[in-house]
Amino acid sequence: MQRLRNCLSSWYRVPFIVLAFFVSFDASAQVYSFRHYGLDKNVFPSRIECIEQSTTGKLYIGTLAGLVVYDGYAFNQFSVRDGLGENAISSIAIKNEQVWLGHWAGSISIINSLTGSISTINLQQQVNYSSIMAMVPLKDSAAIFLTREGRLFHYTNSGVEQVLITGAPTSLKILDIGRSQQSDLYVITDHGVFTNDDEAYTNWNYVYESKESSIQAAYRLQPAEWLVCSASDIRIVNTQTGQSELVHSNVIETKVVSIVQDMEEYLWIGTAEQGIIRYHPILKEKTLIKRDNGLSYNQIREIFMDREGTVWVATAAGLDQYLGNAFVLYEKRAGLPDNLVWDFIKCPEGFLVATQEGLFMLTSLMPRGRPENVIPITLGEAEPRKLYATANAQVIYAVDANGQLWRGGYSGSYKRLESIPEAVRCLAEVNGEIWVGTDNGVYKLEDDKPTEHYTRETGLGGDRVNGIYYSKVKNETWITSLGSAATLYRDGRFKLFGAEQGLRSSVIQDLAFDKDGDPWLATYDDGVYFMDEGQFKNLSEKVTLETTTTFAIEIDDDQSVWIGHSWGLDRYRMSFEDLNSYSSDDGFMGIEVNPGTIKCDDRGNLWMGTLMGLLMFKPTDHRLNLTEPVTRIISATVGNHDVIAQNEVRQSDLSGTDFKVSFEGVSLVNPITNKFEYRLIGVHENWRTITYGLPIEYQSLAPGTYRFELRTCNNSGHCNVEPKVVEFSIAPPFYKTWWFYTFVFLIIVLAIYFMDRYRVLALLDERNALATQLADKEQYLVEVEQEFTSLQGYRTYGLFVSKALSEHAIQDNSALVKSISASGISSDHLFSLQYNNMNVNVLLDIGVADASGAHMVDHIRLRFYELAQNSIITTEEDMLTQFKLAIQQTVSILDKHKGAKWVFWFKRDGFNLLNLEGLQFFMIEKGSVVELENQTTDERPFTALDMSQRIFISTDGLFDLTSDNGARVFSKKRLISKLNEHSHLDSNDLLDMMEKEISDWRGMLEQIDDITFIIINHEPRS
């Protein structure tokens, strides 16, 4: 299909169709969803005149002040300064990679969309400075073009020649030109439509002739079917059978300026002053889209449909992108009394809606229709907030903004119930009984009188009840309270669910049940929770929601979980465990969903109360984008070599073999959700993903053969079936070639030959070297013997007693230890230090495992002994000073050692005094775990903790696990959560739990460091 070319100015156009909009239009309550790119945002330098799409997928937008190119991410502007023939653009045409621009004073600019090069053709004198209003590029840089006066010209490199329509009346005026799918040229005139299939453009044939009134515009729908706009009406005409179908009549007030047919076969007829007529030839559905129901402005300049089926509308205020008809918004302009919808109930007659302006019944509100009647229902001066219907739909309860409860029906009067003393917040029907949630617990009603009262004292999680939800499947009731745990009521008993049961949020906004009767909770501060085998889990463990601030939740018959939040709507599919998000970029027009206001109807449609009105979402109308994005590799280089033009790169300096590729992928439906997947076979086989088309770079590639693959995925996740490919190879440098290896081999043979002549000298040198090594060994044995003697003396003296890593390694049995080793001999060592009457305990992480680490620890103890003999030690502080010095002198002789980490503690005057280096410690009490801040200084080297407090310390091996994909962190947050969850256990069980937790978390990952847990001041087992 060819679209109508219309880049004509309002004051230069020929007379156009005038339409009467007060008759024959279906009244529409729908507000259409558009994304607006406006002149007021400096997106465009001037009024838009025409739009086209190049083969690269980018939009080329012609304005009176230059060209604007949109790639989905940015609007880039071009003018005479960039090489255009003129700034004012009146028409655009595409021929392969060439973009032809027709200018207002008769020039033509040709842009290569791949390279960006621009050439110009000055035809101003030949066309008498007339505007070029339409073009059809031909082969060999030729073109047919139409000027403002309605004259047709043929341009070639040899010149410009006017084309005449032979056999046509002399008064004939040409309105537009185009090319059909069969490659024949067609011309739309005020008398009819002509076609031509010869290259001389002399043999013109009438396709359609208007005998009653002059034609103002036409659009080709099928090879023999045209939409014809005449001075009296708009018709669909079959040029073969002569049959016609009336689309619109009574042409009076406005002009048709642009026509397009979208992928759903809707005809978009743009007018100069009165918006758009949208007509479906099969459904016979005709509606008017104006500023009142979605457009940014009523003055239409151009309508265009891109390769992905997206409709773009250029208005006098900018560019509108149509986001589809899946979302339907009903608000003030559609007949609602107010846009802010607090709650609603769908009933056979329509909708009962609670708004800021009061309670109203909307009758006969259809998916595309305006309500027949809007009936106000009086609640005095009260503002309704929540609505509840009984199972038989005979009684409606309303809760107002002041917490007062009202009782009535769908259309009858409402009576305030004064029998409940507290402010009412929610209501539900539980097994035929009415339960009312208040600021002071839950009341059961019988004949609207309280009969039973449940509060925190009787088992509720809290008194400020904001939700009551009854599950018919399990015959149980969930009660939520602000700031408190959720409560399950079943068989006359209450059970609380809080942090210990996995529910960490206490601000629950809404609740829904799945087919098994299990609850799903929308929370204000922590996303969505769901029940799994008696415990709550957060949905973030499976998918990432758009936001953790959720207000409403509903589960449909397909077990899709619909989540309303502050940015729009999310859908989580249980069977696929995937998430789809619908925001303003997808057509969501409500700003945010109000708490508890998502409901499914019997047709599978979703209804939501929002800040902007009553919003309906039809999932079946949400069109998947199955069109592949346009992906193009712009450049690919290795070092300074272009690997697209030269596949093999010879590089002697391997530091210059950096591979860099620049690319672009264009999909304009919702570019913010596009992503790019790539891989470099020869480096990594798996696909990597980025969300923006920045250049990709690999550094210092080794010699070899490589294949780079790139594909773009659009907003529906549909990717290029065949990726874009760049193949290249890097030749090895000269010193890695076969001839260089041969040369080196010959050199070695010659060297061996000459070395053989001096083998006697070599043997003598070897004997001397052996003698030197023997002397070194003897000296080493002497030093080892001296060290052993010193060590024996140190052990005899009794400064230290080193024991195995176990419960008995601590002198006073006040600590429990658990170790998870990654090697034969652990890098973590636990021992007690004794000197005179002083006893201290040390957990030392030397950072070196196996025998080397054990030897370093012995060396530290020996060095400490030597320092102690030459110093005066009177306090534990003196012992710490000498201990640190011994460690410093030991590890300083090692190259690249990161340093030791330790906890050094002892008891004094009812306190545990601790000195930590590089380790973290936590205080454990039942119900809470607190990370303690290490505030020791040289003046105050110890942290004093009461001996009644349990302290948990772990070496940093806990936070370092590795896999094939890189580091995986056992986070501090997870550690605190697990300690807090099991803080009621005694220390033995707590350490066993942590050992199991680490093993489960690690799975198949490799443990690269030793882990030691220690609990100080544990309570002994009975």
Side-chain angles (χ1 to χ4, degrees):
M1 294 183 294
Q2 299 291 326
R3 68 182 183 85
L4 175 67
R5 310 273 179 181
N6 245 314
C7 297
L8 310 178
S9 68
S10 57
W11 57 86
Y12 281 126
R13 296 176 193 256
V14 294
F16 281 83
I17 296 177
V18 185
L19 304 178
F21 290 92
F22 55 89
V23 292
S24 76
F25 279 106
D26 296 334
S28 173
Q30 178 182 5
V31 176
Y32 290 79
S33 183
F34 288 90
R35 182 189 292 117
H36 177 56
Y37 305 97
L39 291 170
D40 55 338
K41 300 177 183 178
N42 294 323
V43 173
F44 304 104
S46 180
R47 188 183 70 195
I48 298 173
E49 293 298 309
C50 43
I51 307 172
E52 264 293 357
Q53 188 173 29
S54 71
T55 56
T56 63
K58 300 177 183 179
L59 283 187
Y60 281 71
I61 305 164
T63 77
L64 293 179
L67 178 70
V68 177
V69 180
Y70 177 54
D71 62 358
Y73 300 96
F75 291 88
N76 299 306
Q77 299 180 9
F78 300 88
S79 64
V80 173
R81 292 175 298 178
D82 302 293
L84 296 183
E86 301 175 33
N87 282 338
I89 299 171
S90 52
S91 61
I92 304 178
I94 303 295
K95 175 70 172 179
N96 298 327
E97 72 277 1
Q98 290 184 337
V99 180
W100 291 62
L101 307 180
H103 295 292
W104 276 71
S107 298
I108 294 177
S109 298
I110 303 175
I111 303 176
N112 188 304
S113 60
L114 300 181
T115 64
S117 61
I118 301 176
S119 59
T120 60
I121 305 171
N122 190 339
L123 304 177
Q124 294 176 339
Q125 293 184 355
Q126 289 91 326
V127 299
N128 196 24
Y129 294 91
S130 180
S131 301
I132 298 177
M133 309 311 297
M135 291 183 292
V136 177
L138 308 173
K139 61 181 180 180
D140 301 328
S141 298
I144 296 286
F145 62 87
L146 175 68
T147 64
R148 182 178 62 239
E149 292 80 11
R151 294 186 297 168
L152 198 63
F153 292 90
H154 181 205
Y155 164 77
T156 63
N157 291 331
S158 58
V160 177
E161 181 181 2
Q162 185 172 354
V163 177
L164 300 177
I165 308 298
T166 56
T170 56
S171 61
L172 174 144
K173 185 170 184 178
I174 301 174
L175 305 177
D176 196 17
I177 59 174
R179 185 181 288 280
S180 69
Q181 295 180 349
Q182 291 75 27
S183 298
D184 57 330
L185 187 71
Y186 67 81
V187 173
I188 301 171
T189 72
D190 55 353
H191 284 72
V193 179
F194 295 83
T195 61
N196 189 299
D197 56 5
D198 66 349
E199 296 185 358
Y201 306 107
T202 57
N203 185 23
W204 295 94
N205 301 310
Y206 254 120
V207 173
Y208 172 76
E209 181 180 5
S210 177
K211 299 181 180 179
E212 297 180 357
S213 60
S214 62
I215 296 174
Q216 307 295 332
Y219 180 83
R220 191 169 196 167
L221 304 176
Q222 299 292 337
E225 194 172 78
W226 289 77
L227 179 71
V228 179
C229 306
S230 69
S232 59
D233 55 32
I234 302 175
R235 292 180 177 272
I236 296 177
V237 177
N238 189 305
T239 59
Q240 292 182 349
T241 64
Q243 295 178 341
S244 66
E245 172 192 345
L246 180 64
V247 174
H248 189 72
S249 60
N250 297 326
V251 179
I252 298 175
E253 293 181 349
T254 194
K255 303 174 183 178
V256 171
V257 297
S258 185
I259 306 172
V260 110
Q261 188 173 34
D262 65 20
M263 296 182 69
E264 296 174 348
E265 299 188 19
Y266 280 96
L267 286 168
W268 294 65
I269 305 170
T271 70
E273 297 291 340
Q274 297 295 329
I276 296 171
I277 304 171
R278 190 168 182 256
Y279 177 74
H280 198 285
I282 299 176
L283 302 177
K284 310 304 180 186
E285 176 186 322
K286 182 167 58 175
T287 55
L288 180 63
I289 304 176
K290 301 180 67 177
R291 189 171 184 176
D292 290 342
N293 56 351
L295 273 183
S296 63
Y297 215 68
N298 291 339
Q299 297 177 356
I300 307 301
R301 305 295 302 168
E302 174 86 335
I303 304 177
F304 175 75
M305 186 184 72
D306 66 19
R307 59 183 296 274
E308 295 173 284
T310 300
V311 174
W312 302 80
V313 181
T315 73
L319 183 64
D320 290 354
Q321 179 185 4
Y322 178 58
L323 300 178
N325 58 358
F327 286 94
V328 180
L329 182 66
Y330 302 90
E331 37 96 272
K332 276 190 172 182
R333 293 173 295 181
L336 263 68
D338 190 78
N339 288 345
L340 178 56
V341 177
W342 290 118
D343 201 2
F344 64 92
I345 295 176
K346 192 175 186 304
C347 54
E349 295 81 8
F351 283 85
L352 185 64
V353 181
T355 73
Q356 189 174 232
E357 294 296 322
L359 187 63
F360 296 88
M361 170 61 69
L362 311 178
T363 61
S364 300
L365 182 64
M366 302 301 293
R368 294 290 187 269
R370 181 182 295 271
E372 291 182 357
N373 294 299
V374 179
I375 304 171
I377 299 176
T378 303
L379 296 181
E381 299 296 326
E383 177 186 346
R385 287 294 179 87
K386 301 298 292 183
L387 302 175
Y388 304 91
T390 57
N392 56 16
Q394 298 300 315
V395 179
I396 304 295
Y397 289 92
V399 178
D400 65 25
N402 297 319
Q404 298 174 342
L405 183 62
W406 301 74
R407 185 181 190 274
Y410 283 120
S411 57
S413 61
Y414 277 70
K415 177 183 177 182
R416 178 186 168 192
L417 302 183
E418 300 180 355
S419 57
I420 301 176
E422 286 83 10
V424 176
R425 300 304 174 195
C426 58
L427 183 143
E429 185 176 6
V430 179
N431 259 337
E433 298 177 329
I434 301 301
W435 289 30
V436 180
T438 73
D439 287 345
N440 188 27
V442 175
Y443 289 89
K444 281 188 180 181
L445 298 186
E446 183 175 340
D447 296 330
D448 294 333
K449 302 293 183 182
T451 59
E452 295 185 47
H453 186 203
Y454 301 135
T455 64
R456 183 190 293 269
E457 295 180 356
T458 59
L460 285 182
D463 290 333
R464 299 180 61 194
V465 177
N466 70 331
I468 303 174
Y469 309 92
Y470 174 64
S471 170
K472 293 182 180 179
V473 176
K474 292 190 173 182
N475 191 25
E476 61 186 22
T477 304
W478 286 87
I479 304 170
T480 61
S481 305
L482 288 176
S484 306
T487 306
L488 171 63
Y489 177 83
R490 182 171 55 198
D491 299 329
R493 297 182 179 181
F494 294 101
K495 182 179 179 180
L496 302 184
F497 286 80
E500 293 185 357
Q501 292 75 34
L503 184 58
R504 293 183 294 274
S505 175
S506 59
V507 191
I508 299 168
Q509 300 285 290
D510 196 13
L511 186 149
F513 297 100
D514 59 23
K515 65 179 181 180
D516 299 322
D518 290 326
W520 291 66
L521 283 67
T523 72
Y524 181 80
D525 56 349
D526 202 17
V528 172
Y529 285 87
F530 63 95
M531 178 69 76
D532 184 18
E533 298 181 354
Q535 287 286 112
F536 278 102
K537 294 184 179 179
N538 197 287
L539 191 58
S540 62
E541 298 178 11
K542 297 179 178 292
V543 294
T544 301
L545 298 177
E546 284 295 300
T547 175
T548 57
T549 303
T550 59
F551 295 133
I553 191 166
E554 177 70 311
I555 302 176
D556 62 20
D557 294 337
D558 296 328
Q559 294 301 284
S560 290
V561 183
W562 297 93
I563 305 159
H565 50 73
S566 56
W567 290 356
L569 183 69
D570 286 349
R571 179 183 69 175
Y572 172 73
R573 297 189 298 178
M574 297 184 193
S575 56
F576 296 95
E577 293 190 349
D578 62 356
L579 186 81
N580 298 105
S581 297
Y582 306 94
S583 64
S584 59
D585 291 326
D586 303 283
F588 184 92
M589 294 174 282
I591 297 181
E592 70 178 36
V593 179
N594 286 328
T597 58
I598 296 182
K599 299 168 187 178
C600 291
D601 63 18
D602 53 2
R603 298 181 179 180
N605 300 326
L606 217 63
W607 295 84
M608 293 160 279
T610 74
L611 299 181
M612 297 303 296
L614 186 61
L615 184 66
M616 186 191 72
F617 176 56
K618 296 184 67 176
T620 55
D621 281 3
H622 188 75
R623 184 172 65 90
L624 293 177
N625 184 8
L626 301 181
T627 304
E628 290 189 27
V630 178
T631 303
R632 185 170 71 95
I633 294 179
I634 301 173
S635 65
T637 59
V638 174
N640 297 322
H641 300 269
D642 183 355
V643 298
I644 296 179
Q646 176 185 355
N647 276 347
E648 186 174 37
V649 177
R650 297 188 176 274
Q651 188 77 24
S652 60
D653 182 7
L654 288 182
S655 63
T657 56
D658 295 345
F659 174 62
K660 184 176 182 180
V661 57
S662 299
F663 62 94
E664 62 183 14
V666 180
S667 173
L668 302 179
V669 176
N670 189 3
I672 196 172
T673 61
N674 294 347
K675 63 180 181 179
F676 305 91
E677 296 180 347
Y678 67 95
R679 63 183 177 182
L680 182 60
I681 299 176
V683 176
H684 60 94
E685 302 288 333
N686 58 306
W687 292 93
R688 295 178 181 175
T689 301
I690 56 176
T691 57
Y692 196 79
L694 296 174
I696 299 170
E697 187 170 2
Y698 294 85
Q699 296 183 345
S700 301
L701 294 178
T705 300
Y706 299 93
R707 176 184 173 93
F708 178 79
E709 297 181 351
L710 171 73
R711 61 191 184 193
T712 308
C713 303
N714 62 23
N715 62 303
S716 296
H718 188 67
C719 307
N720 299 115
V721 176
E722 295 294 333
K724 296 298 180 180
V725 176
V726 174
E727 293 181 325
F728 63 96
S729 62
I730 300 177
F734 73 93
Y735 50 83
K736 289 191 175 183
T737 56
W738 67 268
W739 56 267
F740 183 78
Y741 291 148
T742 303
F743 175 75
V744 172
F745 175 74
L746 293 175
I747 294 296
I748 293 173
V749 170
L750 291 175
I752 293 174
Y753 170 75
F754 287 110
M755 288 175 63
D756 185 61
R757 298 183 58 185
Y758 302 99
R759 68 180 184 278
V760 175
L761 293 176
L763 289 174
L764 290 175
D765 292 340
E766 183 179 355
R767 185 181 67 178
N768 292 336
L770 289 174
T772 302
Q773 292 179 10
L774 181 59
D776 292 341
K777 292 291 183 180
E778 291 177 351
Q779 179 63 30
Y780 174 74
L781 290 175
V782 171
E783 293 176 356
V784 169
E785 183 177 359
Q786 291 175 351
E787 183 177 350
F788 178 76
T789 302
S790 299
L791 183 59
Q792 287 296 102
Y794 134 73
R795 288 177 176 170
T796 303
Y797 187 80
L799 178 62
F800 296 109
V801 178
S802 178
K803 298 183 179 181
L805 187 60
S806 68
E807 295 181 358
H808 305 293
I810 306 304
Q811 290 292 326
D812 53 11
N813 197 27
S814 64
L816 281 181
V817 181
K818 179 74 70 172
S819 178
I820 307 175
S821 297
S823 59
I825 300 178
S826 175
S827 63
D828 302 334
H829 297 266
L830 182 69
F831 49 85
S832 295
L833 307 178
Q834 303 174 5
Y835 186 84
N836 294 336
N837 295 325
M838 292 175 285
N839 297 322
V840 296
N841 303 305
V842 176
L843 171 61
L844 177 62
D845 182 0
I846 199 64
V848 179
D850 300 326
S852 300
H855 179 72
M856 288 181 64
V857 173
D858 279 342
H859 192 280
I860 289 171
R861 289 198 293 265
L862 175 60
R863 184 59 184 152
F864 180 79
Y865 167 71
E866 293 174 352
L867 293 171
Q869 298 307 306
N870 299 320
S871 304
I872 299 176
I873 296 180
T874 59
T875 65
E876 287 86 349
E877 286 81 353
D878 296 335
M879 292 182 69
L880 175 63
T881 300
Q882 300 304 324
F883 177 70
K884 288 183 177 179
L885 185 57
I887 291 177
Q888 179 183 0
Q889 293 179 354
T890 301
V891 301
S892 63
I893 64 176
L894 300 177
D895 188 23
K896 297 182 180 179
H897 189 270
K898 296 181 179 179
K901 300 177 181 179
W902 67 80
V903 54
F904 182 105
W905 83 96
F906 59 89
K907 295 181 178 180
R908 180 194 292 171
D909 301 330
F911 287 90
N912 273 304
L913 300 182
L914 292 85
N915 177 274
L916 288 91
E917 178 66 29
L919 301 180
Q920 298 168 329
F921 61 121
F922 307 85
M923 182 176 69
I924 306 175
E925 294 180 352
K926 290 186 178 180
S928 68
V929 173
V930 179
E931 181 183 2
L932 300 178
E933 184 176 357
N934 185 6
Q935 297 181 344
T936 58
T937 63
D938 293 338
E939 291 76 15
R940 298 180 62 186
F942 295 104
T943 298
L945 298 173
D946 191 273
M947 294 181 61
S948 64
Q949 298 172 328
R950 274 201 299 175
I951 309 302
F952 178 89
I953 305 173
S954 169
T955 58
D956 59 359
L958 172 63
F959 306 107
D960 194 2
L961 301 173
T962 61
S963 68
D964 293 338
N965 294 327
R968 183 182 180 192
V969 177
F970 188 95
S971 66
K972 186 193 301 181
K973 179 179 179 182
R974 183 178 182 89
L975 172 63
I976 293 175
S977 174
K978 291 301 176 182
L979 291 176
N980 185 46
E981 182 180 353
H982 301 283
S983 62
H984 61 280
L985 300 177
D986 63 30
S987 298
N988 292 280
D989 293 338
L990 186 58
L991 288 182
D992 292 341
M993 179 279 301
M994 286 304 302
E995 180 180 23
K996 182 178 181 303
E997 176 65 23
I998 291 302
S999 299
D1000 294 343
W1001 173 259
R1002 181 181 61 197
M1004 298 303 292
L1005 303 182
E1006 177 187 359
Q1007 181 178 335
I1008 66 169
D1009 196 2
D1010 303 296
I1011 305 172
T1012 300
F1013 306 115
I1014 182 169
I1015 294 182
I1016 301 175
N1017 288 348
H1018 74 97
E1019 64 283 5
R1021 286 183 175 174
S1022 59

